[in-house]
Amino acid sequence: MRRRKFLKYCTSVLSSIYAIILAVPALGFLFSTLKRGQQEKATYELAKLNDLEPGVPQRFTIIDRRVDAWTKYPSGPIGSVWISKNEDESITAFSSTCPHLGCVVDYVPGDKVFFCPCHAATFESNGSIVSGPQPRGMDELNASIKTIRGEKWIVVEYEKFETGIAEKVSIS
Amino acid sequence: MLPEKTKKWIDERTGYKNFLHAIFLLNFPTKRRSRWQFIWGGALVLMMLVEIVTGTLLMTVYSPSEAAAWGSVHYIETQVNLGWFVRGLHHYTAHMMIVAIIVQIFLVIVSAGYRKPKEFIYWTSLLIGGVIVGLTITGNPLPWDQKGYWSYQIETGIAGTMPGIGSTLRSLVVGGSEFGNLTLTRLYTIHVIVLPVIAILLFTIHMALIRRERLRTAKIKEAADDPDVDFELDEDDPLKDEITQPYWPYQTTRTLVLTLFLIGIVIIQMMTYPTLKNQHVNTELLEWEADLHPSEIKLEAPADSALPFVARPEWFVRFLFELRHMVPKDLEVLVTAVLPGVLLAILVLVPFYEKVLGEKWGQRLAIAVYVGGILIISGISWYGIQTERSAPDYALNRSQEIAYAARASWLASENGVPPEGPASLLRNDPKSMGPLIFARHCGICHTWNGHDGTGHFIMEMKDGKKVKATPRASDLAGFATTKWIAEFLTNPRDPKFFGHVGSLKGGDAILNGDMSDWADSYVGPEGILSKADIEAVSALLAREANRRDYEPVSEAVIKRGISVFSGQNFKGKDGKVVDFDGYCAQCHAMKAGDPDDEGGGAAPDFNGYGSAKWLSEFIRSPGAEKFYGDKNVMPAFEESKLSKHDLNLLVNWMRGEWQRPTTDK
Ligand code: FES
């Protein structure tokens, strides 16, 4: 019976080795493919400052190359931003992605509010919540003004955020 | 692990203990003498489990379409953590399983495992073996690289020759008459669902049969051992040999030892694979230097029927492929359809040999046929591989394939795979396509370092023998470099330049024309031009081409070049300004070398000489006024002969312009 015990012991050691040979690569493999949001933060020159009318937000499309796992797509739209010029020439930029579930937010010029058509989230033109199911206000993006060849350009740092939660968490 | 009480609670409700006993054949008898023989089946099951786990992992990334398959596998190899390990394990364990099946069938025959009442156990194991071969054949083309693509071409080609059902069978697995997206989706379906399900069904039947047989033996043993039962086994009954011993842990330990041993071999093979595989090939042959070290090349180039690749089938069907080439055309069906059928019948009918010949001789015949068959098949395969490797161009062709594989991998890592698919990586790459285009269009007259650009030599028939053809026009490797121009100016009649142009219709005007006369009069020991003069004017011309390998020269050298080109301010060998009437601008126009801008006109225009634009224009119409005019002997390559795309690739390749690692800029 000693022999039998020994063999049982051997079986469990050997089968653990077998399991490890499979499990370690499996976990490595799975977890590296679960990573998401590989897109890096990037800045875009979107418009000339003078072309904007104070107080009226305008939507600009972000055009860039997109890498999806192994495929690299040529330039195309990857998102859009709402930019408004304030009276004092300062700039505010919002991601047009609704913080509720990610639809594209519209602007209603008459009421001077941002409005999401999916579940009726409404935002003040400064991005704060008016009404609706959204857990937070619109996501503000870093925007600055850069002088290029004597002209003032609006530069926006575009990134994406998790939707549906109260905190603003970047997924870059 | 679980407390006894919980186990009992679960067992009362599920009966799992009995179930486990059933699975592990607990307390079933095993042959005393052959405890190490009966573990191959178990090892096969454990390896199949490895295949299922790794296969499922691969499925989370792999994408079966022409545009995505290669890219996704490349992604697995290079981006996914341990992806290379998972894929390697999947790939090589499959091959190891085929080895294990060959051994297993041998052991079954040696231990008469096909004998009554075990015929069906034997037959189901043969079927499972067949399914595993099928899994390997359908799995290999999935990366859609050159190797998989071409070996599947051959394998479906062999299937297509079967009389009657051949072509239907072929279009069924190919998804039409041509390879394409449907081929991959079909392959994928067969590989991940159809065959595995069949394998599991067969395995269930197989195990049920084994259980039944073992139980029966156990009962007989029990009766024989029980003194109360009046039953004795014959002295020579094989059952005398059996001992009752639980499968677990006695057999499981052995099975695991063997499995880990085999997987260990697989892992070693996997780690040394690329270098091992191409050990016999010099990967730096001629123009075909590879962009990556062989150990970094994980995949052959993306499938592309336009790129050369020597098709080879999988090793275990290699013998059919070889035999097919050994027999005359109209006997091919015998080899591709009849022979596999006969081999199959020989194996299937093994249990009946003993009916005819008696147990002893029947088994001997079975062993002889099996071992003999395997020896013959390996002999044929080995012979085939040896002939292939000793073929004159094997090393050259293989290094081209390796260079393509390396290039595609490198480009994919560098730029990503374009949405239209991985084949365009090489199709838009001057380094890969240039030599092919050159060989097809230019290599008939011109040479490149003596060969046709790809490393092959142009052959022609002379007195019934194949000999290296004499080129009819200049060698273009290094075209428009300082060195090339200087060599040309020193001796235009050299075989490397105009030497053989004379053999063309009208070529005499060039061979013995103005340029040769010029060299006769001004170059050489008696000539007025020194070596430095030649070099200076060559550098001046090479500056127009501005190739990436052009090394800028000093202002003084350029000045000297200009003086040779324009004849102004020309200093002779003693350093004094002398008259020089052999200046280039008499015939050639080039603003950079000729302040007066005389305009030339009698010979090719050198403005932008050797640049991409100049070369393209020249190739399109060498007989234009600004080039050779009516002296021209070179055919014009209009759009209809050479597309714009190909022309660009050709020109860039000739100038050495292609994407390279930034380090060597
Ligand atoms: S997504 Fe905008 S309101 Fe729901």
Side-chain angles (χ1 to χ4, degrees), chain B residues 13 50 78 94-95 113 136 153 157 204 234 238-240 269 336 354 362 374 416 454 465 469 502 518 568 617 620 654:
Chain B
R13 281 153 187 85
V50 170
T78 55
H95 289 281
T136 318
Q153 282 275 11
T204 316
D234 289 342
L239 287 189
K240 264 248 160 9
Q269 157 108 54
T336 54
E354 302 189 349
I374 285 186
T454 62
K465 259 192 287 173
W518 177 88
Q568 297 173 5
E617 279 175 11
R620 280 273 187 254
M654 287 176 70

Side-chain angles (χ1 to χ4, degrees), chain B residues 224-294:
Chain B
D225 292 345
D226 191 343
D228 296 341
V229 178
D230 183 22
F231 175 72
E232 277 294 313
L233 280 172
D234 289 342
E235 214 28 62
D236 61 342
D237 194 299
L239 287 189
K240 264 248 160 9
D241 244 10
E242 310 253 343
I243 51 166
T244 313
Q245 195 184 47
Y247 191 77
W248 180 76
Y250 297 97
Q251 290 296 93
T252 45
T253 309
R254 293 187 171 87
T255 308
L256 280 164
V257 168
L258 177 68
T259 311
L260 290 180
F261 175 72
L262 296 179
I263 293 182
I265 295 179
V266 162
I267 293 176
I268 290 171
Q269 157 108 54
M270 190 166 98
M271 311 259 248
T272 52
Y273 149 65
T275 20
L276 196 73
K277 189 175 147 216
N278 295 309
Q279 232 173 18
H280 55 284
V281 175
N282 170 14
T283 50
E284 300 291 323
L285 219 59
L286 293 166
E287 311 295 322
W288 299 113
E289 3 105 47
D291 288 51
L292 295 173
H293 187 265

Side-chain angles (χ1 to χ4, degrees), chain A residues 98-105 116-123 133-134:
Chain A
C98 176
H100 178 225
L101 289 174
C103 291
V104 177
V105 177
C116 178
C118 289
H119 314 94
T122 316
F123 305 87
Q134 69 276 40

Side-chain angles (χ1 to χ4, degrees), chain A residues 1 3-4 7-8 10-11 14-15 17-18 21-22 24-26 28-30 32-33 65 69-74, chain B residues 35 46 49-50 57 60-61 63 68 71-72 80-82 85-86 246 248-250 252-253 256-257 260 415 417 419:
Chain A
M1 272 301 111
R3 182 176 141 81
R4 183 174 172 151
L7 286 176
K8 276 188 180 177
C10 286
T11 301
L14 292 173
S15 48
I17 297 179
Y18 174 85
I21 292 180
L22 281 184
V24 171
F29 194 100
L30 271 186
S32 71
T33 48
R65 293 159 68 93
W70 52 87
T71 308
K72 190 163 211 166
Y73 293 96
Chain B
R35 275 179 286 181
L46 287 181
L49 199 63
V50 170
L57 289 170
T60 62
V61 177
S63 167
S72 61
V80 178
N81 296 342
L82 290 171
F85 188 89
V86 172
W248 180 76
Y250 297 97
T252 45
T253 309
L256 280 164
V257 168
L260 290 180
N415 310 342
V417 179

